[in-house]
Amino acid sequence: MKTTLFASLALALTASLSAQEEATATKKVLRMTFIPDQNIQALEKVAAKISAYLKDATGMEVKYEKASDYTACVNGLAANKLDLVWFGGVT
């Protein structure tokens, strides 16, 4: 009985570790962008800070994608090329 219990626990642990390794191997990159602003340098500083925060909070790699305009942001989100878009208060 103990042997069966230990074998079952070992099998469950192995399956759990395999699932964790698969999740780590397929770790997704969070792709984000912002509507372009007049001050691109300030926007990139904010993007860097938000990227660092999200990476710490989620453990995911965060990639900032520069967008040319509002339409590019909408199309990137709709085409599943972006995961997060800061549209702003008006939108």
Side-chain angles (χ1 to χ4, degrees):
M1 173 107 171
K2 283 186 177 181
T3 305
T4 306
L5 178 62
F6 287 126
S8 296
L9 287 173
L11 183 60
L13 180 59
T14 303
S16 176
L17 290 174
S18 295
Q20 287 177 357
E21 288 174 1
E22 281 183 40
T24 303
T26 60
K27 189 182 264 189
K28 188 176 176 185
V29 174
L30 180 68
R31 303 156 300 171
M32 68 170 198
T33 194
F34 300 89
I35 294 176
D37 196 346
Q38 300 294 338
N39 190 344
I40 299 298
Q41 289 177 337
L43 181 65
E44 289 178 354
K45 285 181 183 178
V46 169
K49 289 179 182 179
I50 292 175
S51 295
Y53 171 80
L54 290 172
K55 183 176 182 177
D56 288 342
T58 65
M60 295 174 68
E61 192 64 35
V62 180
K63 183 177 180 187
Y64 169 65
E65 306 271 341
K66 291 182 183 180
S68 57
D69 57 14
Y70 175 84
T71 304
C73 292
V74 172
N75 289 339
L77 194 60
N80 200 28
K81 293 182 179 181
L82 296 167
D83 302 303
L84 176 67
V85 178
W86 180 268
F87 285 113
V90 176
T91 306

